[in-house]
Amino acid sequence: MKKKVKRWNFSFQHLKNFKFYHIIIYFLLGLIMFGLMFSNVKPEEINVQLFSQAEKTIVAPHSFEDREATELLRREAEDSVPNQYNRDKDKAYQQVARIESFFGELRATQSESSELARKSAENTPPTTDEEEESSDNQEPPPPPELSDEENLELLKKNLEGQIPSQWEEELDDGNLLFLFGLPSSDLNQYKEASATAIINAMSRDIQTPEHLAEARNSVRTELTQSGNIPGVIINLSSLAVINNVIFDSALTQEKKQEAIDAVESVRISQGDTIVKAGQYIDRETYRLLNAAGFGDQSRSITPFVGLLVMIVLMLSSLIYLFRNIDTTIHSKNTYLTMYLLIFSITLVLMKIFSFFQTLNSTEIGYIAPVAMGAMLIKMLINDRIAIISSIILGFCGSFIFNLVPGAMNYTVGSYLIISAVASVLFLNQHNRRLTILQTGLFVSFINVVTVIAMVLLTNKDLTGMTELLELGINGTMAVGSGIVSAVLTIGILPFLEVGFGMLSTMKLLELSNPNHPLLRKILMETPGTYHHSVMVANLSESACEAVGANGLLARVASYYHDIGKTKRPSYFIENQMGQVNPHDKLPPQTSKNIIIAHATDGAQILKDHNMPKEIVDIAAQHHGNTLLKYFYHKAKEKNDTVSEDDYRYPGPKASTKEAAIVGTADSIEAAVRSLDNPTPDKIENIVKAIIKDRLQDGQYSECSLTFSELEDIGKSFCETLQGIFHSRIEYPKGDEES
């Protein structure tokens, strides 16, 4: 069995090193999401035929606008708007100006005619003396005048283009000559009377032909009653009256547009019944079915395109998060593979529960254990990805638990997001199985509160038995969701830890159990090393917590970091128990090899027992490539050509904060334990000296510790050591002897 596990592990490790492995994982994740939600967006295949009976009740799969009905209402609204007219007050003054202009032309023509006649007379030959004498005895001749034909021609010339075509019938040659022959005083009198009559007639609305005829008659009546006004002037004045209420196309169009805009779109809401089972499908119903998308479903790919776009958006957020993930311990591909597995399990569980959902049943989505996926992702990867995954799982759940293909169940989707996020926020770092169960109960409580809030938001009447029963069922499923999530998390977590070599807090707590076979081995075979390891664990844990590192990992790794000493216990001073030190009889080179081997031997023992990689690495790195000073100086006394490199640990150097802290704590604990009378000053000097020595030796060059953090670590070491080696009361000698 172990061989099969190792073989699978080797194949998996080899596959993870593939260059495009992450692309394959993202593709598989998208494919799984698309496959599980494909049926939830696929349009329902329904046989829809005109003039037939509906096989089943058909509801709208989504909200849409009934464009034909909306357009019909808009046309009706537009047609109902009457034409808009405007009264032009300037029309009356324009017509008065026109009649005044006509009379002005008459007077101007009269003056022009007299001037022409006078000039013509001046141009006639002078008279003789006899004629002049005879004329003295007679009356003076009348002033010269033009003939009627000449006056008529002159008047027509001046009036050309000045009078409307309607006036031309009234102004024949006789009337023109008549008007031309009127004296100026009469023309002024007629002009004033005509202007007054026109103003009075056009002071009211003139829109229809009836209104126009009535206004013109009023002009005739008023001028007739004025007396002595020629008929031609009365007729011209009545013709001068025109419509003053004019059709306003711009205003009409504006009113029509307002009426169109006021018409609300005819919308069919998602879930509305279009046709009931057995109902006759007439043309109107058939049109609505086509508008809803039931006409030609075989070629409709838009729902799948929409789903694909949503999946791409969700994957984009995951790609961004995984690009910045800390991969100090495990490779990014390991986290991706594990995420794929957790996410797929969660989606599959939701899909299985969705099969028990019908249109008229209670929301089965309330029992979906989405919090399980969120908790596993938080414990095995990190919080940020767990929060974003909670939102993504909620979106997926809104599709999986939808009631109509292609729609989104926002109620269940929101509920799932709240449930998953609550589990991430409540689950702390130091979790045990009991804490996971507590988180499940907390999630159950949040789920119930969410369900009640959603019911209250819908303003349902909760006084009826049916409503109360439904609320009770939903609340029970909400409680079950939290409990089931916790149980599944506890059940699945060990398989993921073993399969991917992940180190969760729960796994660390299990490894810290003193009954673990390797810890019992250390205790039984190297009791001094065991006590030393416990001391190092105390120092390391407090120092890690001071700088935000994983204190529990440092504690557990400290328990195992010197397990390599179990191969040769007596060669390490803490296990000699007053025995002769075997190194006194060995050359420095041999002693060096034995001491150095405990780091590599320990790492190998841990690997053979399938211990987590983090603990194996700390066991191999806790000495880095530090110098074995005692044996180096011992060898130097015998041979000056000895090189430091020959007496250094093989490494590697500490690659994490936890490994660096455990290594430093290991050296400090051994140094302080060797003191005869450890005082706070002595402890502080040793701590500062060892940290400074390791810093100058480059032992912290491959981890992310800062100078500020090293100072905090030193303070933590001093506080812990002073608590361990605190001063005791010195009893009197007599009491000691007794």
Side-chain angles (χ1 to χ4, degrees), residues 264 289 405 608 699:
E264 294 185 0
L289 289 171
D608 293 340
Q699 298 305 313

Side-chain angles (χ1 to χ4, degrees), residues 307-475:
L307 177 61
L308 190 62
V309 172
M310 289 292 293
I311 291 174
V312 169
L313 290 176
M314 289 186 282
L315 287 178
S316 299
S317 64
L318 293 176
I319 292 171
Y320 174 78
L321 290 175
F322 274 103
R323 186 182 64 180
N324 299 320
I325 195 173
D326 182 13
T327 57
T328 305
I329 304 298
H330 295 280
S331 68
K332 187 183 299 183
N333 290 339
T334 300
Y335 287 117
L336 277 173
T337 307
M338 186 165 47
Y339 183 87
L340 171 67
L341 190 58
I342 296 172
F343 196 90
S344 300
I345 291 173
T346 309
L347 278 187
V348 168
L349 287 174
M350 286 198 293
K351 187 67 177 180
I352 292 173
F353 280 111
S354 71
F355 292 147
F356 299 96
Q357 177 171 270
T358 59
L359 284 174
N360 300 319
S361 71
T362 312
E363 290 285 6
I364 194 68
Y366 289 148
I367 200 173
V370 68
M372 174 206 69
M375 286 191 288
L376 287 173
I377 293 171
K378 174 177 180 176
M379 288 188 290
L380 297 173
I381 305 178
N382 66 31
D383 294 23
R384 289 185 65 194
I385 295 179
I387 291 291
I388 297 301
S389 299
S390 300
I391 298 173
I392 293 175
L393 287 170
F395 272 108
C396 294
S398 66
F399 282 108
I400 292 175
F401 292 104
N402 60 5
L403 301 176
V404 181
M408 293 180 69
N409 191 335
Y410 296 103
T411 302
V412 172
S414 303
Y415 164 86
L416 293 177
I417 292 175
I418 294 172
S419 178
V421 171
S423 67
V424 174
L425 296 178
F426 187 81
L427 187 65
N428 56 34
Q429 293 295 331
H430 301 286
N431 49 74
R432 297 180 174 87
R433 285 183 172 85
L434 179 60
T435 310
I436 295 178
L437 288 175
Q438 290 173 347
T439 302
L441 293 176
F442 174 77
V443 170
S444 297
F445 171 74
I446 295 297
N447 289 349
V448 172
V449 173
T450 304
V451 169
I452 294 174
M454 289 179 172
V455 172
L456 295 177
L457 284 172
T458 59
N459 198 24
K460 281 187 178 181
D461 182 13
L462 300 178
T463 58
M465 286 300 298
T466 303
E467 289 77 11
L468 289 175
L469 179 62
E470 181 181 350
L471 179 60
I473 294 174
N474 287 341

Side-chain angles (χ1 to χ4, degrees), residues 115-150:
E115 183 66 20
L116 290 174
R118 186 184 61 77
K119 289 181 179 181
S120 177
E122 290 177 356
N123 292 330
T124 54
T127 56
T128 58
D129 293 339
E130 293 87 1
E131 291 175 348
E132 185 174 349
E133 289 177 1
S134 61
S135 63
D136 290 337
N137 298 325
Q138 298 178 359
E139 295 180 359
E145 294 181 357
L146 297 179
S147 64
D148 290 342
E149 290 77 8
E150 290 175 334

